[in-house]
Each structure stands twice: as C-alpha cells, then as structure tokens.
Amino acid sequence: GAGVSQTPSNKVTEKGKYVELRCDPISGHTALYWYRQSLGQGPEFLIYFQGTGAADDSGLPNDRFFAVRPEGSVSTLKIQRTERGDSAVYLCASSAGGQGNTGELFFGEGSRLTVL
Amino acid sequence: LAKTTQPISMDSYEGQEVNITCSHNNIATNDYITWYQQFPSQGPRFIIQGYKTKVTNEVASLFIPADRKSSTLSLPRVSLSDTAVYYCLVGAMDSSYKLIFGSGTRLLVRP
C-alpha cells in the first residue's frame, strides 16, 4: 500500500509476555518514528530512526523497550516482560527525512496493545 | 524543544469558522510550526505548516504573528467531519527533527 502499515492492529497479551510490533513505512522514507498514545493523551515520542540507526531513543521508557530497523525500512518495536501500564496504542510514522525535508510525518493507524 | 499550550477543548457549529490558538513562547529561530489532526482510532494527519506570516492550503489557514510566540489555526466553515483533536507542534527541520505532541484541542462540531 501507499501508506504506513502497522501490524498487528490489535494485540492482547498477558503480563510478563514478550511482544513485537511491526511498522512498514512509506517506500523511500528514511526517517521512522515510534510513538505511544494512551487514551485521552497526545502521542508520546519513543524513538526516531534515520536510516538504520536510532538517532534519538530518549523517549523509550526503560530497558524493556527496544526497536530495530536493520535494513533502513521495516522497523520492529520490541517490548519485554510486558506490564499492564504498557497498554496503549503504538503509532509508527515515517517521513522523507534528509535535506529538503518538509517535516511532514505520515502516521499509520497504530497497533493497540492490551496487557492483561 | 519549544513547549506549546492550546485550549483543551472547543465547541462550534456547522458552517462556522473555527480559530484555535496555540502559544509557544520559547520557539527557537529555526523552529517551524506544524498542526496535525487526529480522528479516533487513526494516527495524526498533517494539516498545515508555517514559519511566519500566513500560510493557506485547501484545508486551513495558519496565522503567525511577527514575534512567532503564538499561532492560530483557522478552519473555514467547519462540518461535522471536522470533529477531531488538533495538535500544535514546533520543531526544527534538521537531522534530529522529531515532533513532541501535547494534549491537543478537542474540537466538537455540532449540527
């Protein structure tokens, strides 16, 4: 598709389990972002990739959260030992990045994570 | 990164013009102002972006005074489908560019 694709759209897991969330950005977009959004709140920045490297991971809440983008395209957000407080919608966005970047982020529809 | 302040909620009626003002007193010289719209169960969507004065596109207008410490998003003749959350963000467009969202303004358009 032409937009940012996120899978799964919904994930229900039990406390303590491991979860992976996948993001397929728009083809050719070098910048990729992960955000987390709780009900009634704005998206909370987690991590930003420029190409394959994490340019800014200052938003990751703790070491249970990790994200990769090995080939500079698809990214996976990994959450270990999930806790109930991790329940949220995880949003991925991509942008053209680099020189001439307009700064417009294109968001996917999100992956809703529920930790029981 | 500059912090933004905007009203928590606004009500309007179909056909009216809606103006949402955002304060960003600590905006930096190389910061741009960007507005996003978010519907329930969807990711935010880019509406408009500007640096100074006025920007207009097919969806909205953005007014930025000379001191750039605030900005106003103007939605002409809103419809029910404009009911959404609107976010004002500021940030520089460089290699470390990232957007920090606040809580946004919930706009409710009534018939």
Side-chain angles (χ1 to χ4, degrees):
Chain A
V4 176
S5 175
Q6 291 188 246
T7 54
S9 55
N10 275 287
K11 175 69 176 180
V12 180
T13 191
E14 295 180 341
K15 180 175 179 295
K17 299 291 187 182
Y18 170 79
V19 167
E20 287 191 354
L21 305 175
R22 175 188 168 108
C23 173
D24 275 279
I26 292 173
S27 178
H29 278 189
T30 60
L32 185 145
Y33 305 76
W34 283 99
Y35 286 82
R36 177 171 70 173
Q37 187 170 28
S38 300
L39 192 63
Q41 302 296 315
E44 172 193 7
F45 171 80
L46 297 177
I47 187 169
Y48 157 57
F49 287 90
Q50 184 60 250
T52 60
D56 187 338
D57 64 356
S58 61
L60 294 177
N62 52 58
D63 61 6
R64 295 187 298 105
F65 288 74
F66 190 71
V68 296
R69 195 186 185 199
E71 297 178 357
S73 178
V74 171
S75 176
T76 304
L77 179 66
K78 308 180 181 192
I79 310 173
Q80 298 178 320
R81 304 183 303 281
T82 53
E83 300 177 355
R84 292 192 180 88
D86 298 336
S87 296
V89 175
Y90 289 81
L91 293 164
C92 177
S94 69
S95 74
Q99 199 162 15
N101 175 30
T102 65
E104 179 176 353
L105 267 59
F106 295 83
F107 282 84
E109 296 200 341
S111 292
R112 180 177 298 278
L113 175 65
T114 303
V115 182
L116 302 177
Chain B
L1 293 170
K3 181 180 176 180
T4 60
T5 303
Q6 52 184 125
I8 294 174
S9 64
M10 294 182 68
D11 280 16
S12 183
Y13 291 91
E14 280 192 294
Q16 290 190 331
E17 178 184 76
V18 171
N19 296 307
I20 306 174
T21 297
C22 178
S23 297
H24 26 80
N25 291 319
N26 298 322
I27 191 168
T29 303
N30 56 346
D31 283 344
Y32 280 72
I33 300 157
T34 312
W35 285 79
Y36 280 76
Q37 174 191 55
Q38 186 176 27
F39 298 114
S41 301
Q42 294 186 22
R45 183 183 71 159
F46 175 93
I47 301 175
I48 197 166
Q49 184 180 76
Y51 183 80
K52 62 180 180 180
T53 63
K54 177 183 175 182
V55 179
T56 298
N57 62 22
E58 65 278 6
V59 176
S61 294
L62 179 59
F63 298 92
I64 305 168
D67 67 4
R68 303 199 328 120
K69 293 183 183 299
S70 67
S71 59
T72 299
L73 174 72
S74 181
L75 305 172
R77 295 185 299 282
V78 293
S79 65
L80 298 178
S81 62
D82 292 316
T83 293
V85 179
Y86 292 82
Y87 296 96
C88 163
L89 305 96
V90 294
M93 292 191 299
D94 57 18
S95 60
S96 63
Y97 182 65
K98 67 185 182 187
L99 292 179
I100 303 298
F101 287 80
S103 297
T105 298
R106 293 183 178 277
L107 173 65
L108 174 62
V109 179
R110 302 176 186 275

